[in-house]
Amino acid sequence: MDQGTRDEMLACLAEELGSVTVTHPTRVAIDGAPAAGKTTLADELAAILRTQGRDVVRATIDDFLFPRARRYPRGEYSAEGCYFDTHDYDSLNRFLLDPLGPGGDRRFQHAVYDHTSDAVLSPPVTTAPADAVLIFDGVFLMRPELIDRWDLRIFVSTDLDATVDRAVIRESRVSSRADVERRWRERYIPSQQFYFATVRPTDHADIIVHNDEPQQPAWATRTR
């Protein structure tokens, strides 16, 4: 286990990513619970890689949701619904992960859904260079439908109760504290507990970032 400044941790992640040798774009998963710090970490890592001259594709699981009418057959606060009914993994593999993987033609779409308008998207197809890097953040990225699609797997670990306080701050402009706490304690946290019990995502991660103290993180790297 290493511990240091955030810049030191990011430099370590960039170095680990640079050591991945594949003949297609490097597909990086940044997994973790809601409000664990996945998106911030993904954006920071992408910025570093761009300064190093890498071509970066930045994408997120939030752009591969099913439309709202299909996401809540078990109810808006259902933890099972969060895990089983929320994300369009077939489209994620078909339009993004497989084209960038071995045998793919590198012609991809970075999104199929717009969360703001609750509308299906069909953005232009883009061709990635062979040495590009996909930085993809989201929940449940180590589940069986996706696990073999990643070339580097990062898990952002944070105390689940602490994510509630972070979420309250993050969503204060759009949701009341009571609504945020209910969503986290009834839907998001139990779905993560189910994920940990059934998939054991940290067992699959190449790097675990302990993000309880974002400016003084700790991280552990497994030999690949």
Side-chain angles (χ1 to χ4, degrees):
M1 181 83 69
D2 294 308
Q3 188 167 7
T5 67
R6 192 159 187 87
D7 286 344
E8 289 171 336
M9 180 267 292
L10 290 167
C12 178
L13 296 188
E15 183 177 354
E16 287 293 324
L17 196 156
S19 71
V20 176
T21 55
V22 291
T23 58
H24 54 82
T26 303
R27 300 162 299 173
V28 180
I30 300 184
D31 190 11
K38 306 179 301 300
T39 302
T40 297
L41 178 59
D43 288 343
E44 291 171 330
L45 184 57
I48 289 174
L49 295 173
R50 288 179 177 126
T51 65
Q52 296 176 349
R54 299 295 297 267
D55 190 302
V56 176
V57 178
R58 183 71 180 88
T60 177
I61 197 67
D62 290 342
D63 293 332
F64 289 88
L65 297 174
F66 287 120
R68 183 176 178 83
R70 185 173 172 181
R71 289 205 301 271
Y72 300 107
R74 307 172 206 238
E76 186 173 355
Y77 295 97
S78 168
E80 290 182 349
C82 183
Y83 187 79
F84 289 109
D85 306 324
T86 302
H87 304 103
D88 187 350
Y89 299 114
D90 287 342
S91 291
L92 173 55
N93 288 330
R94 177 183 174 190
F95 293 113
L96 182 61
L97 299 183
D98 288 348
L100 298 183
D105 61 8
R106 293 185 275 113
R107 290 169 51 81
F108 71 93
Q109 291 173 282
H110 70 277
V112 298
Y113 173 79
D114 178 49
H115 188 273
T116 303
S117 61
D118 189 32
V120 174
L121 293 178
S122 184
V125 173
T126 303
T127 301
D131 62 349
V133 178
L134 168 66
I135 303 293
F136 191 93
D137 74 278
V139 294
F140 309 139
L141 299 188
M142 310 295 177
R143 58 188 294 161
E145 297 93 328
L146 304 177
I147 188 63
D148 293 331
R149 263 74 176 195
W150 309 115
D151 305 299
L152 185 70
R153 305 176 183 97
I154 300 170
F155 190 87
V156 182
S157 176
T158 307
D159 179 78
L160 290 178
D161 284 332
T163 67
V164 180
D165 294 329
R166 292 183 185 181
V168 168
I169 295 170
R170 186 181 72 183
E171 303 193 13
S172 61
R173 294 183 179 179
V174 294
S175 297
S176 68
R177 183 182 188 95
D179 184 54
V180 172
E181 288 192 350
R182 184 180 179 190
R183 275 187 283 122
W184 251 253
R185 298 198 182 280
E186 294 186 23
R187 181 175 173 88
Y188 295 147
I189 289 179
S191 69
Q192 286 291 319
Q193 291 168 335
F194 175 81
Y195 178 48
F196 267 82
T198 57
V199 175
R200 302 177 65 89
T202 55
D203 289 353
H204 302 290
D206 300 302
I207 303 169
I208 300 174
V209 174
H210 297 273
N211 203 44
D212 290 306
E213 297 291 341
Q215 297 309 312
Q216 290 291 322
W219 61 96
T221 304
R222 293 199 177 103
T223 302
R224 286 179 281 111

